[in-house]
Amino acid sequence: MSTTSAAILAATPAAIAEAGAALAAGRLVAFPTETVYGLGGDATCDRAVAAIFEAKGRPSFNPLIAHVASVEQAAALVDMTGPALTLARMFWPGPLTMVLPRRAGSPVSLLASAGLDSIAVRMPDHPVALALISAAGRPLAAPSANRSGAVSPTTARHVAQCLGGRVAMILDGGPCRVGVESTVIDLSGDRPALLRPGGVAVEALEAALGGPLSRPTDSPDAPRSPGQLESHYAPSLPVRLNAAEAGVGEALLGFGPGPATLNLSPSGDLAEAAANLFAMLRALDRPDLVGIAVAPVPEHGLGLAINDRLRRAAAPRGTP
Ligand code: AMP
Ligand code: MG
């Protein structure tokens, strides 16, 4: 872990132009999106994509999302099927990632899609992200800008703390509005499937598709999403779920009214809780504590994404 940092730069037009040029030259740039900060690289360049896997310490069988600035740009990479176009019209720009069949001649690096015949695409809802993709003039592969398995970054400072020495630049666009990663759905098979709950509520997608999303069982040997790896989003301290109160030496991460060390949302608002989740897990990951107890969060809407991240944060840690 490096604390010596690449410069954090306010995302001015000049900084975005400079970052776009760095990306076009195959370098890595961390940038804000509405979900979490991304570690961006040219999605069409094997060398840049390899550098992303290396910087994150991410298993190369975990494919990356190609971020685009328009539906047209996505359509050059993947087959935008009927349902995909409908969902893009409704939810893009926004925290929805669609896995779609790779187009013949698609320029996306095979390394980015982990050799699969599908590619995940998303148009983020953040002016800096969209301007940066346009400045780079190519789709950007951009997983969360943290070491693999650790808590995702929702501020530029979080990125500097864990990846500062590994990126050319960090663009600062303030704290992320949504705060959890995108919802990932697979539209490349016979039936639409939910791969990862996230910033778009599953209920909204099912209403738009007019039917339920299937939820494939986890496959131990070929994870289709890092969300399917057991331990992920994990702070250093152990995390205990569905806690009524803090035990000795524990912090309590609350939800709804009542005493807590930090509270995801005193009023019980799930969007506010999602936006606070990763920053509060980081703030409570303190050496003077023995663990983080977390109050129950309801399992609907954004609560699905919050509980998914919390379960991974609480999962037994594998050996590195
Ligand atoms: P992250 O980059 O950490 O936000 O995660 C991207 C998510 O999209 C992961 O869960 C990936 O496994 C998933 N993903 C990306 N590309 C594909 C693909 N072609 N097929 C299935 N899942 C994908
Ligand atoms: Mg991640």
Short mmCIF file of all heavy atoms in Angstrom, two decimals, residues 46-90:
data_model
loop_
_atom_site.label_atom_id
_atom_site.label_comp_id
_atom_site.label_asym_id
_atom_site.label_seq_id
_atom_site.Cartn_x
_atom_site.Cartn_y
_atom_site.Cartn_z
N ASP A 46 -4.52 -3.50 -24.47
CA ASP A 46 -4.16 -4.61 -23.56
C ASP A 46 -3.21 -4.15 -22.46
O ASP A 46 -3.34 -4.56 -21.30
CB ASP A 46 -3.47 -5.74 -24.34
CG ASP A 46 -4.45 -6.50 -25.22
OD1 ASP A 46 -5.65 -6.54 -24.88
OD2 ASP A 46 -4.00 -7.06 -26.24
N ARG A 47 -2.28 -3.32 -22.82
CA ARG A 47 -1.26 -2.88 -21.84
C ARG A 47 -1.91 -2.07 -20.71
O ARG A 47 -1.62 -2.27 -19.53
CB ARG A 47 -0.20 -2.05 -22.57
CG ARG A 47 1.04 -1.73 -21.79
CD ARG A 47 2.13 -1.19 -22.75
NE ARG A 47 1.64 -0.12 -23.61
CZ ARG A 47 1.55 1.16 -23.24
NH1 ARG A 47 1.91 1.54 -22.04
NH2 ARG A 47 1.09 2.07 -24.10
N ALA A 48 -2.82 -1.17 -21.08
CA ALA A 48 -3.50 -0.35 -20.06
C ALA A 48 -4.38 -1.24 -19.18
O ALA A 48 -4.42 -1.07 -17.95
CB ALA A 48 -4.33 0.74 -20.73
N VAL A 49 -5.06 -2.19 -19.80
CA VAL A 49 -5.94 -3.08 -19.03
C VAL A 49 -5.12 -3.95 -18.08
O VAL A 49 -5.48 -4.13 -16.92
CB VAL A 49 -6.81 -3.94 -19.98
CG1 VAL A 49 -7.56 -5.01 -19.22
CG2 VAL A 49 -7.79 -3.04 -20.76
N ALA A 50 -3.98 -4.43 -18.58
CA ALA A 50 -3.10 -5.23 -17.71
C ALA A 50 -2.62 -4.39 -16.53
O ALA A 50 -2.51 -4.89 -15.40
CB ALA A 50 -1.91 -5.75 -18.52
N ALA A 51 -2.35 -3.12 -16.78
CA ALA A 51 -1.90 -2.23 -15.70
C ALA A 51 -3.00 -2.04 -14.64
O ALA A 51 -2.70 -1.92 -13.45
CB ALA A 51 -1.47 -0.88 -16.28
N ILE A 52 -4.25 -2.05 -15.07
CA ILE A 52 -5.35 -1.94 -14.10
C ILE A 52 -5.38 -3.18 -13.20
O ILE A 52 -5.46 -3.07 -11.97
CB ILE A 52 -6.72 -1.80 -14.82
CG1 ILE A 52 -6.81 -0.46 -15.55
CG2 ILE A 52 -7.88 -1.95 -13.83
CD1 ILE A 52 -8.09 -0.29 -16.37
N PHE A 53 -5.33 -4.35 -13.81
CA PHE A 53 -5.34 -5.59 -13.01
C PHE A 53 -4.18 -5.59 -12.03
O PHE A 53 -4.33 -5.98 -10.86
CB PHE A 53 -5.26 -6.82 -13.93
CG PHE A 53 -6.57 -7.18 -14.59
CD1 PHE A 53 -6.76 -7.01 -15.95
CD2 PHE A 53 -7.62 -7.70 -13.84
CE1 PHE A 53 -7.96 -7.33 -16.56
CE2 PHE A 53 -8.84 -8.03 -14.45
CZ PHE A 53 -9.01 -7.85 -15.81
N GLU A 54 -3.02 -5.14 -12.51
CA GLU A 54 -1.82 -5.12 -11.68
C GLU A 54 -1.98 -4.14 -10.51
O GLU A 54 -1.70 -4.49 -9.37
CB GLU A 54 -0.66 -4.68 -12.59
CG GLU A 54 0.60 -5.46 -12.39
CD GLU A 54 1.49 -4.78 -11.40
OE1 GLU A 54 1.81 -3.61 -11.67
OE2 GLU A 54 1.85 -5.41 -10.39
N ALA A 55 -2.45 -2.93 -10.81
CA ALA A 55 -2.57 -1.90 -9.77
C ALA A 55 -3.57 -2.32 -8.69
O ALA A 55 -3.39 -2.03 -7.51
CB ALA A 55 -3.00 -0.57 -10.39
N LYS A 56 -4.63 -3.00 -9.10
CA LYS A 56 -5.66 -3.42 -8.14
C LYS A 56 -5.31 -4.72 -7.42
O LYS A 56 -5.90 -5.04 -6.40
CB LYS A 56 -7.00 -3.64 -8.86
CG LYS A 56 -7.80 -2.37 -9.10
CD LYS A 56 -9.17 -2.70 -9.67
CE LYS A 56 -10.10 -3.42 -8.72
NZ LYS A 56 -10.72 -2.58 -7.69
N GLY A 57 -4.38 -5.50 -8.01
CA GLY A 57 -4.17 -6.85 -7.50
C GLY A 57 -5.42 -7.67 -7.73
O GLY A 57 -5.83 -8.49 -6.89
N ARG A 58 -6.08 -7.43 -8.88
CA ARG A 58 -7.37 -8.07 -9.17
C ARG A 58 -7.15 -9.32 -9.99
O ARG A 58 -6.38 -9.32 -10.95
CB ARG A 58 -8.25 -7.09 -9.94
CG ARG A 58 -9.56 -7.66 -10.46
CD ARG A 58 -10.49 -6.51 -10.75
NE ARG A 58 -11.63 -6.85 -11.54
CZ ARG A 58 -12.82 -6.26 -11.37
NH1 ARG A 58 -12.97 -5.34 -10.45
NH2 ARG A 58 -13.82 -6.56 -12.14
N PRO A 59 -7.85 -10.42 -9.65
CA PRO A 59 -7.70 -11.63 -10.46
C PRO A 59 -8.12 -11.35 -11.90
O PRO A 59 -9.14 -10.72 -12.13
CB PRO A 59 -8.66 -12.63 -9.81
CG PRO A 59 -9.05 -12.05 -8.49
CD PRO A 59 -8.83 -10.57 -8.58
N SER A 60 -7.32 -11.83 -12.86
CA SER A 60 -7.58 -11.45 -14.25
C SER A 60 -8.79 -12.19 -14.83
O SER A 60 -9.20 -11.92 -15.95
CB SER A 60 -6.35 -11.71 -15.11
OG SER A 60 -6.01 -13.06 -15.00
N PHE A 61 -9.36 -13.13 -14.06
CA PHE A 61 -10.60 -13.75 -14.56
C PHE A 61 -11.82 -12.91 -14.21
O PHE A 61 -12.93 -13.26 -14.54
CB PHE A 61 -10.76 -15.19 -14.05
CG PHE A 61 -10.68 -15.35 -12.56
CD1 PHE A 61 -11.76 -15.03 -11.75
CD2 PHE A 61 -9.51 -15.82 -11.97
CE1 PHE A 61 -11.67 -15.17 -10.37
CE2 PHE A 61 -9.42 -15.96 -10.59
CZ PHE A 61 -10.51 -15.63 -9.79
N ASN A 62 -11.62 -11.81 -13.52
CA ASN A 62 -12.73 -10.89 -13.22
C ASN A 62 -12.77 -9.78 -14.26
O ASN A 62 -11.97 -8.86 -14.23
CB ASN A 62 -12.54 -10.26 -11.84
CG ASN A 62 -13.32 -11.02 -10.79
OD1 ASN A 62 -14.36 -11.58 -11.09
ND2 ASN A 62 -12.82 -11.01 -9.58
N PRO A 63 -13.72 -9.86 -15.19
CA PRO A 63 -13.73 -8.89 -16.29
C PRO A 63 -14.10 -7.49 -15.83
O PRO A 63 -14.69 -7.30 -14.76
CB PRO A 63 -14.78 -9.45 -17.24
CG PRO A 63 -15.67 -10.32 -16.39
CD PRO A 63 -14.80 -10.85 -15.28
N LEU A 64 -13.75 -6.51 -16.65
CA LEU A 64 -13.96 -5.09 -16.32
C LEU A 64 -15.12 -4.51 -17.12
O LEU A 64 -15.45 -5.01 -18.20
CB LEU A 64 -12.69 -4.30 -16.65
CG LEU A 64 -11.40 -4.80 -16.01
CD1 LEU A 64 -10.21 -3.98 -16.51
CD2 LEU A 64 -11.50 -4.73 -14.49
N ILE A 65 -15.70 -3.46 -16.60
CA ILE A 65 -16.77 -2.75 -17.30
C ILE A 65 -16.16 -1.72 -18.25
O ILE A 65 -15.25 -0.97 -17.86
CB ILE A 65 -17.70 -2.04 -16.28
CG1 ILE A 65 -18.37 -3.07 -15.37
CG2 ILE A 65 -18.73 -1.18 -17.00
CD1 ILE A 65 -19.08 -2.45 -14.15
N ALA A 66 -16.67 -1.68 -19.49
CA ALA A 66 -16.28 -0.63 -20.44
C ALA A 66 -17.24 0.54 -20.26
O ALA A 66 -18.45 0.40 -20.44
CB ALA A 66 -16.33 -1.16 -21.86
N HIS A 67 -16.68 1.70 -19.89
CA HIS A 67 -17.50 2.89 -19.64
C HIS A 67 -17.55 3.73 -20.91
O HIS A 67 -16.51 4.01 -21.51
CB HIS A 67 -16.93 3.70 -18.47
CG HIS A 67 -17.08 3.00 -17.16
ND1 HIS A 67 -16.32 1.91 -16.81
CD2 HIS A 67 -17.93 3.21 -16.13
CE1 HIS A 67 -16.69 1.49 -15.61
NE2 HIS A 67 -17.67 2.26 -15.17
N VAL A 68 -18.76 4.13 -21.28
CA VAL A 68 -18.97 4.87 -22.52
C VAL A 68 -19.67 6.20 -22.21
O VAL A 68 -20.25 6.37 -21.12
CB VAL A 68 -19.82 4.06 -23.52
CG1 VAL A 68 -19.07 2.80 -23.95
CG2 VAL A 68 -21.19 3.70 -22.91
N ALA A 69 -19.61 7.12 -23.20
CA ALA A 69 -20.22 8.43 -23.02
C ALA A 69 -21.53 8.56 -23.77
O ALA A 69 -22.19 9.59 -23.70
CB ALA A 69 -19.25 9.52 -23.46
N SER A 70 -21.93 7.50 -24.51
CA SER A 70 -23.19 7.56 -25.25
C SER A 70 -23.65 6.14 -25.59
O SER A 70 -22.85 5.19 -25.57
CB SER A 70 -23.01 8.34 -26.55
OG SER A 70 -22.14 7.63 -27.41
N VAL A 71 -24.93 6.02 -25.94
CA VAL A 71 -25.46 4.73 -26.39
C VAL A 71 -24.76 4.32 -27.69
O VAL A 71 -24.44 3.14 -27.90
CB VAL A 71 -26.99 4.82 -26.60
CG1 VAL A 71 -27.53 3.53 -27.18
CG2 VAL A 71 -27.68 5.14 -25.28
N GLU A 72 -24.50 5.31 -28.56
CA GLU A 72 -23.84 5.01 -29.84
C GLU A 72 -22.46 4.40 -29.61
O GLU A 72 -22.06 3.45 -30.29
CB GLU A 72 -23.69 6.28 -30.69
CG GLU A 72 -25.00 6.87 -31.19
CD GLU A 72 -25.86 7.47 -30.06
OE1 GLU A 72 -25.30 8.04 -29.10
OE2 GLU A 72 -27.10 7.35 -30.15
N GLN A 73 -21.75 4.94 -28.64
CA GLN A 73 -20.41 4.40 -28.35
C GLN A 73 -20.52 2.95 -27.85
O GLN A 73 -19.71 2.10 -28.22
CB GLN A 73 -19.68 5.28 -27.32
CG GLN A 73 -18.19 4.97 -27.23
CD GLN A 73 -17.47 5.89 -26.26
OE1 GLN A 73 -18.08 6.61 -25.46
NE2 GLN A 73 -16.14 5.87 -26.31
N ALA A 74 -21.54 2.68 -27.05
CA ALA A 74 -21.75 1.30 -26.58
C ALA A 74 -22.05 0.38 -27.76
O ALA A 74 -21.58 -0.76 -27.83
CB ALA A 74 -22.88 1.25 -25.55
N ALA A 75 -22.86 0.89 -28.70
CA ALA A 75 -23.30 0.06 -29.83
C ALA A 75 -22.14 -0.32 -30.75
O ALA A 75 -22.26 -1.25 -31.55
CB ALA A 75 -24.39 0.79 -30.61
N ALA A 76 -21.00 0.38 -30.64
CA ALA A 76 -19.83 0.00 -31.42
C ALA A 76 -19.06 -1.15 -30.76
O ALA A 76 -18.22 -1.78 -31.38
CB ALA A 76 -18.90 1.21 -31.58
N LEU A 77 -19.40 -1.42 -29.50
CA LEU A 77 -18.66 -2.44 -28.74
C LEU A 77 -19.43 -3.75 -28.62
O LEU A 77 -18.86 -4.83 -28.62
CB LEU A 77 -18.35 -1.93 -27.32
CG LEU A 77 -17.79 -0.52 -27.17
CD1 LEU A 77 -17.57 -0.20 -25.70
CD2 LEU A 77 -16.49 -0.38 -27.96
N VAL A 78 -20.75 -3.60 -28.43
CA VAL A 78 -21.61 -4.76 -28.13
C VAL A 78 -22.87 -4.68 -28.99
O VAL A 78 -23.19 -3.63 -29.55
CB VAL A 78 -22.05 -4.75 -26.64
CG1 VAL A 78 -20.87 -5.02 -25.73
CG2 VAL A 78 -22.74 -3.43 -26.27
N ASP A 79 -23.58 -5.81 -29.09
CA ASP A 79 -24.89 -5.80 -29.76
C ASP A 79 -25.91 -5.24 -28.77
O ASP A 79 -26.24 -5.89 -27.77
CB ASP A 79 -25.29 -7.22 -30.17
CG ASP A 79 -24.40 -7.75 -31.28
OD1 ASP A 79 -23.94 -6.93 -32.11
OD2 ASP A 79 -24.16 -8.98 -31.32
N MET A 80 -26.39 -4.03 -29.05
CA MET A 80 -27.41 -3.43 -28.19
C MET A 80 -28.76 -4.03 -28.62
O MET A 80 -29.40 -3.56 -29.56
CB MET A 80 -27.42 -1.91 -28.33
CG MET A 80 -26.19 -1.22 -27.75
SD MET A 80 -26.07 -1.26 -25.94
CE MET A 80 -27.30 -0.08 -25.44
N THR A 81 -29.15 -5.08 -27.93
CA THR A 81 -30.41 -5.77 -28.25
C THR A 81 -31.59 -4.89 -27.86
O THR A 81 -31.41 -3.85 -27.20
CB THR A 81 -30.48 -7.06 -27.44
OG1 THR A 81 -30.33 -6.71 -26.06
CG2 THR A 81 -29.37 -8.03 -27.84
N GLY A 82 -32.81 -5.30 -28.22
CA GLY A 82 -34.02 -4.52 -27.91
C GLY A 82 -34.13 -4.17 -26.44
O GLY A 82 -34.24 -2.98 -26.08
N PRO A 83 -34.10 -5.17 -25.54
CA PRO A 83 -34.20 -4.85 -24.11
C PRO A 83 -33.07 -3.93 -23.63
O PRO A 83 -33.28 -3.06 -22.79
CB PRO A 83 -34.11 -6.21 -23.41
CG PRO A 83 -34.38 -7.22 -24.46
CD PRO A 83 -34.07 -6.61 -25.80
N ALA A 84 -31.88 -4.11 -24.20
CA ALA A 84 -30.75 -3.25 -23.79
C ALA A 84 -31.01 -1.80 -24.16
O ALA A 84 -30.73 -0.89 -23.38
CB ALA A 84 -29.45 -3.75 -24.42
N LEU A 85 -31.57 -1.59 -25.35
CA LEU A 85 -31.86 -0.22 -25.77
C LEU A 85 -32.94 0.39 -24.88
O LEU A 85 -32.85 1.55 -24.48
CB LEU A 85 -32.32 -0.20 -27.23
CG LEU A 85 -31.20 -0.22 -28.27
CD1 LEU A 85 -31.77 -0.31 -29.68
CD2 LEU A 85 -30.31 1.02 -28.13
N THR A 86 -33.95 -0.42 -24.56
CA THR A 86 -35.01 0.07 -23.67
C THR A 86 -34.42 0.48 -22.32
O THR A 86 -34.70 1.57 -21.81
CB THR A 86 -36.06 -1.04 -23.43
OG1 THR A 86 -36.53 -1.47 -24.71
CG2 THR A 86 -37.21 -0.56 -22.57
N LEU A 87 -33.59 -0.39 -21.75
CA LEU A 87 -33.02 -0.09 -20.43
C LEU A 87 -32.05 1.09 -20.50
O LEU A 87 -32.00 1.91 -19.59
CB LEU A 87 -32.32 -1.33 -19.85
CG LEU A 87 -33.25 -2.50 -19.51
CD1 LEU A 87 -32.44 -3.64 -18.87
CD2 LEU A 87 -34.37 -2.08 -18.56
N ALA A 88 -31.29 1.19 -21.59
CA ALA A 88 -30.37 2.32 -21.75
C ALA A 88 -31.17 3.62 -21.78
O ALA A 88 -30.78 4.62 -21.16
CB ALA A 88 -29.53 2.16 -23.02
N ARG A 89 -32.27 3.61 -22.51
CA ARG A 89 -33.09 4.83 -22.58
C ARG A 89 -33.62 5.21 -21.20
O ARG A 89 -33.71 6.37 -20.85
CB ARG A 89 -34.27 4.60 -23.53
CG ARG A 89 -34.15 5.42 -24.79
CD ARG A 89 -35.29 5.15 -25.76
NE ARG A 89 -34.81 4.44 -26.93
CZ ARG A 89 -35.26 3.27 -27.36
NH1 ARG A 89 -36.21 2.64 -26.71
NH2 ARG A 89 -34.74 2.74 -28.44
N MET A 90 -33.96 4.21 -20.40
CA MET A 90 -34.56 4.50 -19.09
C MET A 90 -33.52 4.81 -18.01
O MET A 90 -33.76 5.61 -17.12
CB MET A 90 -35.41 3.32 -18.63
CG MET A 90 -36.64 3.11 -19.49
SD MET A 90 -37.61 1.69 -18.91
CE MET A 90 -38.30 2.36 -17.40
#
